Amino acid sequence: MPITIADVAARAKVSKTTVSRVLNGKGELDETTAARVRAVIDELGYVPSARAVNLARGRTRVVGMLVPSLTWPWMGEVLQGAVDVLEAENYGLLLFTCNRGDDSMRQFGAQVAAKSFDGLLVIEPEGTLDYIATLHSRGLPMVLIDDRDQLSGGTIATIGTTNHTGAADAAHHLLGIGRHKPLVITGPSRFGCTQQRTDGFVSAYAGAGFPISEDRVMLGDFKFGSGVDNVNLAIKAGIEFDAVFCHNDLSAFGAMQAIQDSGRSVPEDVAVVGFDDIPMAAHAKPSLSTVHQPLREMGEAAARTLLAHFEGVPLPNRPTIIPATFTVRNSTAPAS
């Protein structure tokens, strides 16, 4: 049978509360008594429950993380960054997705009520921001990952990247290789990153003397099919284009597929640029030029920010921004 705190108390002839105080270093204790308890602990080989000790100290040493789904192509990079930091500091991770909708959120809410974790990392699932903001207002420490600061009103600590500048870099690259008639396939309009990426790209083209008309900015949803469908719509509408800028890599893969299915070549006829730089981007045919989001670094920064808060550092009230960079691959080349 495993040794329990009751066994230690009985052998040392003290209460379980006294043993707990020795273990946690709390309260004023006679040094002779404390030494006797420690000797019994060593004699019996008692190993206290890490969970029990942490709870007694007011900590679980567990961080919660709420995400929409693990199927998002870039989710693994963010998770790995957060896990690397948490594990190095002997913290565990309790992961929640919203795959089952309301049922998932009820299960998450039960864990919040049970105080199963010390703080929360969030990649905001659709439709949950009000609930997340309520948890924040009630004192749950949290850090948002990605660019939701516009939606949260700047009240929640946020780790983001340079969406506007990254998109402008994509535009400057395409302009530099002579592509003056681009399509833009956006993400969902409700996302802050969609507006930022659109503004950055369109502004760069306008500044170079090549304004982009509204019919060239096509609403997407970050999915492969939106890349396929929007390219096909542009072809059917007779819109001439020599480049496509997609707001994520997955829709860029779809755009390349539709371009090639139409009998055109990438990059000779149409250059294609994505955004994210997920691992598959380097292995696409052709390999995808894309804006590299520092996904793993964002996960690391979010975890470090939360752990620093546990040690008394206030959570920042301004977004922490990690710059994006542009990666050139084979899906872009100078026009002939």
Side-chain angles (χ1 to χ4, degrees):
M1 295 291 290
I3 303 298
T4 68
I5 194 170
D7 297 325
V8 174
R11 179 69 66 89
K13 294 182 173 57
V14 297
S15 68
K16 289 190 290 184
T17 300
T18 298
V19 177
S20 179
R21 287 176 176 170
V22 171
L23 291 169
N24 295 313
K26 287 187 175 182
E28 294 184 4
L29 290 172
D30 175 73
E31 184 54 38
T32 301
T33 301
R36 185 168 74 252
V37 171
R38 285 192 285 268
V40 170
I41 288 171
D42 292 340
E43 176 189 347
L44 297 179
Y46 172 63
V47 178
S49 161
R51 178 174 174 79
V53 171
N54 287 331
L55 286 174
R57 293 173 176 171
R59 295 265 189 94
T60 64
R61 294 196 73 83
V62 173
V63 166
M65 188 165 186
L66 178 65
V67 303
S69 171
L70 297 180
T71 61
W72 286 21
W74 51 265
M75 191 65 68
E77 287 292 300
V78 177
L79 281 171
Q80 192 62 60
V83 167
D84 287 346
V85 171
L86 295 174
E87 287 185 347
E89 298 297 329
N90 295 314
Y91 271 78
L93 179 69
L94 192 55
L95 181 63
F96 303 91
T97 74
C98 289
N99 285 341
R100 295 180 296 110
D102 290 344
D103 286 345
S104 293
M105 291 308 297
R106 277 192 290 271
Q107 182 176 355
F108 170 70
Q111 295 298 314
V112 172
K115 298 183 178 179
S116 299
F117 43 86
D118 299 328
L120 185 65
L121 304 176
V122 184
I123 299 173
E124 181 228 330
E126 185 176 354
T128 63
L129 188 67
D130 288 345
Y131 176 55
I132 292 166
T134 298
L135 295 179
H136 176 259
S137 68
R138 292 175 178 172
L140 179 64
M142 65 176 62
V143 179
L144 293 180
I145 303 170
D146 206 358
D147 64 334
R148 313 304 174 148
D149 183 67
Q150 284 189 344
L151 301 179
S152 69
T155 61
I156 304 175
T158 304
I159 308 296
T161 190
T162 48
N163 285 291
H164 187 282
T165 303
D169 289 344
H172 291 310
H173 172 70
L174 290 172
L175 286 163
I177 60 173
R179 306 301 171 114
H180 299 154
K181 296 180 288 186
L183 294 179
V184 179
I185 300 176
T186 75
S189 59
R190 64 185 177 276
F191 288 167
C193 63
T194 295
Q195 189 62 54
Q196 293 164 4
R197 293 173 192 178
T198 301
D199 288 349
F201 190 85
V202 170
S203 296
Y205 262 84
F210 299 97
I212 298 174
S213 58
E214 289 186 3
D215 62 334
R216 292 181 172 274
V217 180
M218 312 182 80
L219 183 63
D221 61 6
F222 287 150
K223 296 179 182 178
F224 181 92
S226 74
V228 173
D229 293 343
N230 279 304
V231 166
N232 287 336
L233 283 172
I235 292 172
K236 186 176 180 179
I239 300 173
E240 294 185 9
F241 58 95
D242 57 8
V244 181
F245 170 54
C246 296
H247 280 198
N248 76 334
D249 292 345
L250 199 58
S251 57
F253 298 153
M256 287 201 296
Q257 181 67 61
I259 291 163
Q260 292 165 338
D261 288 348
S262 74
R264 307 180 192 193
S265 297
V266 178
E268 289 79 9
D269 299 318
V270 183
V272 179
V273 172
F275 203 112
D276 283 341
D277 199 15
I278 62 175
M280 186 57 66
H283 304 289
K285 300 295 182 182
S287 57
L288 181 65
S289 294
T290 185
V291 179
H292 173 82
Q293 281 208 86
L295 299 168
R296 186 170 296 210
E297 293 89 340
M298 290 164 70
E300 292 171 349
R304 288 196 188 99
T305 299
L306 194 58
L307 295 188
H309 177 68
F310 297 158
E311 300 305 317
V313 178
L315 288 170
N317 55 15
R318 300 177 63 181
T320 299
I321 302 300
I322 304 175
T325 55
F326 192 74
T327 301
V328 179
R329 297 194 181 99
N330 294 335
S331 67
T332 58
S336 58

